[in-house]
Amino acid sequence: MVFDLFNQGLTLGVGMTAILAALGVVMCSSPIYSALYLIGHMVCLALLFLLYNAEFIAAVQVVVYAGAVMILFLFIIALLGAKKEDLKLTDITFEKFLAGSFVGTLFCELLMTLAVGETRPVLGEMTPEKLEQIGSAKAIGLTLFSKHLIPFELASILLLVATVGVICLAKFQVKPIRRNTR
């Protein structure tokens, strides 16, 4: 009973910290600080995975996302030059309106998940061998590289194309064409 209360309080604290870090990502005007808030958010997600006994996913969250991908983001931000953006809420453009409506839709979906309640546990006979087969790194690797190989490779190609695109945008500037008025 006491352990459940402590576990629920710890989960609530880590979850609230993750929400605050996510707000810091969106609200901060400096890209470097936004990336650091995103790293904090990913670490909080890894802690939540640990609290729900998903150690492998927590380790992957820290190593892949908080480690490799965020280091890539920080290199790209450093390459582009970290400039603070002037956030003027009075200038509402069509893009800002679309972004706001998208965030509002996501927030409504989040509120709808509160109505679902607790998830049901997996039913059926679970032997230790079956549990080890489902949650082991070997089983996840076999599933990832056999059933989900094409989406995995497409995601890696997408990251590579995005990185090359950012480097091209940062290094090559397009000069506007001047017309002769004579």
Side-chain angles (χ1 to χ4, degrees), residues 151-162:
F152 180 75
E153 292 299 327
L154 287 176
S156 63
I157 290 172
L158 182 67
L159 280 174
L160 180 66
V161 168

Side-chain angles (χ1 to χ4, degrees), residues 14-165:
V14 172
M16 291 302 292
T17 306
I19 290 172
L20 290 176
L23 285 175
V25 171
V26 178
M27 304 294 276
C28 191
S29 62
S30 173
I32 295 288
Y33 290 137
S34 290
L36 292 176
Y37 278 122
L38 189 57
I39 290 173
H41 178 75
M42 290 179 180
V43 169
C44 288
L45 288 181
L47 288 174
L48 285 175
F49 284 132
L50 278 178
L51 288 172
Y52 286 110
N53 297 325
E55 294 88 7
F56 180 75
I57 296 175
V60 168
Q61 179 78 23
V62 169
V63 171
V64 174
Y65 292 110
V69 172
M70 287 311 301
I71 295 300
L72 178 68
F73 281 180
L74 286 175
F75 278 138
I76 291 172
I77 289 170
L79 187 67
L80 289 176
K83 298 176 188 170
K84 281 189 173 183
E85 296 288 330
D86 291 332
L87 297 176
K88 295 179 181 176
L89 296 178
T90 58
D91 299 336
I92 297 176
T93 61
F94 181 68
E95 291 86 10
K96 288 181 181 178
F97 175 74
L98 281 178
S101 61
F102 180 70
V103 169
T105 304
L106 287 179
F107 186 71
C108 288
E109 288 181 3
L110 183 64
L111 289 178
M112 288 172 56
T113 59
L114 292 176
V116 172
E118 292 186 25
T119 56
R120 291 181 295 165
V122 177
L123 300 176
E125 181 100 12
M126 289 291 179
T127 61
E129 295 84 21
K130 197 171 184 180
L131 284 175
E132 185 176 313
Q133 187 181 19
I134 291 172
S136 70
K138 181 179 177 183
I140 292 172
L142 285 174
T143 303
L144 186 65
F145 288 109
S146 61
K147 292 181 181 176
H148 305 289
L149 181 63
I150 292 175
F152 180 75
E153 292 299 327
L154 287 176
S156 63
I157 290 172
L158 182 67
L159 280 174
L160 180 66
V161 168
T163 305
V164 171

